[in-house]
Amino acid sequence: MSVPEQQMDELVRSEYKQGFITPIESDTLPPGLDEGVIRAISEKKGEPEWMLEKRLVAYRHWLTMPEPQWSSLHHPPIDFQSISYFSSPRPKDGPKNLDEVDPELLETYEKLGIPIDEQKALAGVAVDAVFDSVSVATTFRKPLAEAGVLFCSMSEAIREYPDLVRQYLGKVVPHKDNYFAALNSAVFSDGTFVYIPRGVRCPMELSTYFRINEAKTGQFERTLIVAEAGSHVSYLEGCTAPMRDENQLHAAVVELVALEDARIKYSTVQNWYPGDAQGRGGIYNFVTKRGDCRGDRSHISWTQVETGSAITWKYPSCILRGKDSVGEFYSVAVTKGRQQADTGTKMIHIGENTRSTIVSKGISAMQGSNAYRGLVRMTTGAENARNHTQCDSLLIGDRCSAHTYPYIEVKNPTATVEHEATTSKVGEDQLFYCRQRGLSEEDAVSMIINGFCKEVFKELPMEFAVEAQKLLAVSLEGAVG
Amino acid sequence: MTLQSQAVSDFQKATQHYIAGLPLDRGAWLTDHRWSAVTRFSDLGFPDKRQEAWRYTSIEGLLKQGFVTSDSDMEVVGTEFEHHFLDGPTAGRVVFVDGAFQPSLSDTHVPGVRINNLRSAMETSDLETLKSVGTLSGPGTHGFSALNMATMRDGALIRVSAGLRLDAPIDLVSISTSSASGRAMRPRHLIVLEQDAEATLVERYLSTSDNAYFTNLVCEVLLEERASLVHQRVQQESPSAYHLADLHIELQADASYRGVNLAIGGAWSRTKIGNSFAAPGASCELHGLYLAGEGQLVDFHLDVDHGVPGCDSRENFRGILYGNGRAVFDGRILVQKQAQKSSAHLSNANLMLSRRAEIDTKPQLEILADDVMCSHGTTVGQIDPQALFYLRSRGLSEERARRLLCLGFASEILEQFESGSLQDHLAELIQQKIGSETKGAS
Amino acid sequence: MLRIRDLRTSVEGKEILKGIDLEVKAGEVHAVMGPNGSGKSTLAHVLAGRDGYQVTGGDVEFLGQDLLDLEVEERAHKGLFLAMQYPVELPGVNNLTFLRESLNAVRRARGEEEMDAVGFMKLVRRKADEVKLDHKLLKRSVNAGFSGGEKKRNEILQMAMLEPRLAILDETDSGLDIDALRTVADGVNMMRSPERALIVVTHYQRLLEYIEPDHLHVLAGGRIVHSGGKELAFELEERGYGWLLEENAA
């Protein structure tokens, strides 16, 4: 019944289906980091002086910061001088429209199941495709522009909408925030910019697909979403990378700003290469994501399905400043092989009647290690604020681990905080029951796990919920036996 | 020089001086332990907020007090303290006043129970009794517990013989008087229950003054196979006092420990309870109630370590916060790789009665085995307005209603103090404490 | 249909079944009774293929095949159904999804076409009515938060949907009030057919007033100590198990 261990490992290894490398000519900066490299990045992107200044300030600050030492995550030291900080598929100038995009690139995205040809695209989903360090294509720009929505690469936004970018960039996640945010602020190469004007409901789902292709490169993207008063937007990001023996660094920063009555829904399906079963290779996914619920009744919702990366370190957070603002965090994190995930959220309640909901589902299989780390802070002004947190861990096999570290800080007596956490394994009796009704063991496990994750999947946009379920099934194939 | 490093070097000097001043005939064994604890202290220094376990609890106020390590030889006779003794029958009584054992107030003659005090065991070089001292605590897990080992002076040594079932509680009471003012006391207790023994121990810290002093306590509890201990602890120190307690529990196969902790006194108190299972089949229950009011900080740290398969742990702690009271709760459950079939559950509930109060709570689960049932739950909230309304609609004043609801919240824990008179006494104490706070809608 | 020969089974090294012989033909209803700890549930579980039951001797033939050689789901595909004493809860797993997945897995194994959504819904509604299961429960998670009676009815619904060749009902009557018992028994009686066999495992004779067995076996100490017709049930009711055990020991 149980698959021999070796076979199981092979199964898992073979299941990373996005592990191919696109043979494409690219323009890559040599490895290393100094002010010259930062100037080179800024120049390649044709940035204004103020942007270069911002980068240099961040870089100089980064130099003074110690690299974080985490108690629960283990990895060999990262040599920041061996990483290349910029890689772009040739030609250097970004394509003006889809017809100019290199067919190799289009094919890459097709292979990943993300058609960026508008004819074949999923109805109602606009895509920005980021390949290594640059945005290679953005679809459905016309209908979006008609609605007044700005959806473009960050490089373009810096050139075309400098005032907007200057007003918001680095305001939610300042460069001093943490080590990797400082690094990102210095070297970020591209990313996505979204601006939804007052009262506009974005007519379609927006999404970005990130792909690391080049060896020895890091990806440092920067995403900024600004939702003006009364606007709504739903945004989804997906990420994949080829299989390589080396570890690659992905250190992104995402900033969200929601003004009065605005709603931002941010979904992530993260499937970076996790490394092989022995822990060779894989992406270090060190990401800072934060949303500022600045306006009254604003609403920011983070949903994430994390199945990839050798190490995941991210805490998508909400600063609930506006009265009656709402923050949500729904997460499924799967670790298997030697994967480590340390993820969770921070909900900082500042305004009156602010509410937050946290639902975290961790699944650990084989030697995977999964930690939920979260902070709920009720400041003195958080009158009648509410939080509810549910953290559940599911263990598959006896070599994995699951940790739960919630921090709860309350300074207002009218605030209510409820936190619950459970840890259990896929029950033998549950498996037997399903199999007695004729389901195969794998189907039974996938059914039980999907049930376990249901509360999170229902938060994903329809098209992606199905994708996430499949991803989960593939990701855990062979992990049970 | 920072306050911390100044304090470390001051304490180091004072400690070395203290040890050098002890008479030589007290056994090299002990002196070695003391010196290794001094080394340990030099390595560790004092805890600070950068350490995870101390992130919410500052010791700055404690260091600023400049408490002096000195001993009292006062021997009390007469009935002055009798009203502090437990009501009803007891199976032995051990009384300390200002850190010193009181032979004439104590009752150490209980068949089958060896009751001794640390100081006389040291003076008579009673190695048989002393050899277990420090087996669980080691030379110290932080600077203060290392200082306790280096300068320990007195404490209770209780050993219940195999198979003995005590039907009355052992009364262990430490009373601080105005002469304790400005001093640091370093009590150290060792409780051993041999195989199949059953006992109840009531351990209390009381004060007859409002003075500032420091109790730096280490208590070790060893339960052998199938032994069972009910451990009822009350921290009711003076409102200016500092109280630091490190409780170490080790359970052998099928042993069971049920502890209940009430923290109600002190300006600053911190209790760390570490439980480790040494063999399968054991169970550990920890209950607690903390009240933090005006000028108080109360901190509880639980560390339950499942290192062997098939053990059960349950923790249930409740807190009531009022005035500008602050409480810290940290409840860690660790289930190690080999500890399959573990069951571990923790619950922490907090009631905030005032705008100026603060609670920082941090339950933690670290699970490395898969066949386990583990959970924790934490809540922070205020008195349910509906319940308040309900009681008032039945004719109760708001003050009475609030008081009643607070007591109701506490009752689940108070019930663990089995003796009715002790329960009533503690309930009365709680009512007095929160009385002023519940008068007005905060 | 089912032939058990000298079946011996151990659980954690302790022998529970000490040589069971039983033959069940299509169309028959067999009742297996016995005191607590006699091995009734072990027999039911070992036939279904539950882990942790080591077969130490004997063999079992089901529809001409070696049953013990098959995986749990393969036994289900062949038409063996176990209604459990304690049906398992599957939080988050929708009852309808579960039923449909199971039904299609069994149909695929039989070489039949999978059932489409419309046909499935029609069928499931009709069957739910037959076993008097509230349709609301179909939309909930499998057994999660169901009452004891609802769980048992859900078991009977699954049986009605999967149409097994051999159904084993393990203490299906436990924890049921008389109305629920009657509903469950009605459901079981509806399943009786010349192609299908039933094994009803029970501690009490009560259920057998509603489901009349053709044969009754008394299991004690891991062996079938007595077999007879349905009239044996009444004798057991009056005299208990004691006399059989003594008789057997003698």
Side-chain angles (χ1 to χ4, degrees), chain B residues 18-176:
Chain B
Y18 178 88
I19 300 172
L22 291 172
L24 281 172
D25 58 353
R26 288 182 189 166
W29 175 86
L30 207 54
T31 313
D32 287 351
H33 272 62
R34 290 190 192 276
W35 284 118
S36 74
V38 174
T39 311
R40 180 87 178 134
F41 171 68
S42 312
D43 293 344
L44 292 171
F46 285 118
D48 68 49
K49 285 194 160 191
R50 278 168 299 179
Q51 283 160 285
E52 187 58 36
W54 295 81
R55 65 184 283 151
Y56 295 116
T57 307
S58 163
I59 59 158
E60 214 165 287
L62 170 58
L63 294 180
K64 273 189 185 149
Q65 291 278 342
F67 292 117
V68 181
T69 302
S70 76
D71 302 322
S72 154
D73 287 325
M74 175 175 62
E75 221 182 288
V76 183
V77 285
T79 58
E80 186 188 347
F81 294 117
E82 261 181 22
H83 66 283
H84 292 303
F85 300 168
L86 275 186
D87 281 350
T90 52
R93 174 181 306 111
V94 197
V95 182
F96 295 88
V97 173
D98 297 339
F101 176 65
Q102 301 300 325
S104 61
L105 304 185
S106 301
D107 164 20
T108 57
H109 300 287
V110 182
V113 186
R114 276 180 65 184
I115 301 179
N116 200 351
N117 69 306
L118 181 64
R119 189 175 164 198
S120 73
M122 291 191 293
E123 279 171 357
T124 55
S125 289
D126 179 359
L127 285 189
E128 187 52 34
T129 307
L130 292 176
K131 70 173 184 207
S132 303
V133 172
T135 50
L136 299 184
S137 71
T141 47
H142 51 75
F144 291 108
S145 57
L147 284 177
N148 176 291
M149 174 60 96
T151 65
M152 60 189 175
R153 154 82 167 179
D154 215 339
L157 301 171
I158 299 172
R159 190 177 189 96
V160 184
S161 309
L164 184 68
R165 294 180 178 197
L166 294 176
D167 44 16
I170 303 170
D171 188 11
L172 167 54
V173 58
S174 302
I175 301 164
S176 299

Side-chain angles (χ1 to χ4, degrees), chain A residues 63-201:
Chain A
L63 288 175
T64 68
M65 297 174 94
E67 199 184 329
Q69 302 290 325
W70 294 305
S71 58
S72 64
L73 296 177
H74 307 282
H75 62 83
I78 301 168
D79 179 2
F80 291 94
Q81 295 302 333
S82 71
I83 298 171
S84 166
Y85 289 84
F86 188 83
S87 174
S88 147
R90 283 186 176 134
K92 280 181 227 167
D93 297 323
K96 296 287 174 291
N97 59 54
L98 288 171
D99 301 337
E100 289 178 30
V101 175
D102 187 329
E104 278 275 9
L105 282 175
L106 288 178
E107 205 181 298
T108 300
Y109 284 90
E110 291 277 352
K111 251 163 125 177
L112 296 170
I114 312 144
I116 40 182
D117 177 339
E118 284 182 16
Q119 261 71 57
K120 296 183 199 161
L122 280 170
V125 182
V127 176
D128 181 26
V130 175
F131 195 85
D132 286 334
S133 302
V134 296
S135 169
V136 291
T138 309
T139 64
F140 294 108
R141 301 181 66 148
K142 239 176 125 189
L144 289 171
E146 278 160 17
V149 172
L150 305 180
F151 177 50
C152 63
S153 74
M154 184 57 83
S155 315
E156 192 181 334
I158 292 168
R159 290 192 302 266
E160 307 290 325
Y161 317 105
D163 294 344
L164 271 176
V165 174
R166 257 183 120 160
Q167 190 183 343
Y168 291 105
L169 190 72
K171 293 298 184 325
V172 186
V173 180
H175 68 268
K176 289 184 178 173
D177 194 83
N178 67 68
Y179 190 78
F180 293 102
L183 179 63
N184 175 286
S185 303
V187 304
F188 78 84
S189 43
D190 216 333
T192 305
F193 174 73
V194 178
Y195 178 82
I196 318 288
R198 198 176 239 293
V200 170
R201 284 172 188 248

Side-chain angles (χ1 to χ4, degrees), chain A residues 1 428-441 443 447-452 454, chain C residues 50 71-73 76-77 80-82 84 88-93 98 101-102 105 143 155 158:
Chain A
M1 203 174 310
E428 233 171 87
D429 50 351
Q430 291 177 326
L431 278 182
F432 173 68
Y433 190 73
C434 293
R435 293 178 67 203
Q436 211 301 305
R437 298 303 182 253
L439 299 176
S440 70
E441 184 158 14
D443 286 348
M447 189 175 257
I448 290 166
I449 286 171
N450 276 316
F452 177 74
K454 198 173 162 188
Chain C
R50 176 121 210 202
E71 293 289 350
V72 181
E73 59 268 35
H77 297 163
L80 188 144
F81 182 92
L82 172 65
M84 296 187 200
V88 177
E89 299 189 3
L90 302 173
V93 177
F98 179 67
E101 293 276 335
S102 300
N143 295 329
E155 292 291 282
Q158 290 173 15

Side-chain angles (χ1 to χ4, degrees), chain C residues 54-111:
Chain C
Q54 291 95 37
V55 175
T56 51
D59 54 76
V60 181
E61 200 185 292
F62 177 55
L63 295 170
Q65 245 187 326
D66 181 358
L67 182 73
L68 301 176
D69 220 28
L70 300 177
E71 293 289 350
V72 181
E73 59 268 35
E74 290 170 335
R75 299 182 198 200
H77 297 163
K78 288 267 169 285
L80 188 144
F81 182 92
L82 172 65
M84 296 187 200
Q85 184 178 5
Y86 305 108
V88 177
E89 299 189 3
L90 302 173
V93 177
N94 181 279
N95 212 1
L96 279 174
T97 313
F98 179 67
L99 269 174
R100 189 159 173 219
E101 293 276 335
S102 300
L103 180 63
N104 282 334
V106 170
R107 289 176 72 102
R108 272 197 308 273
R110 287 189 206 138

Side-chain angles (χ1 to χ4, degrees), chain B residues 47 131 145 179 262 285 345 350 400 408-409 425 435:
Chain B
K131 70 173 184 207
S145 57
S179 341
L262 173 65
E285 267 182 54
H345 301 277
N350 297 280
R400 185 74 206 131
F409 178 79
H425 171 69

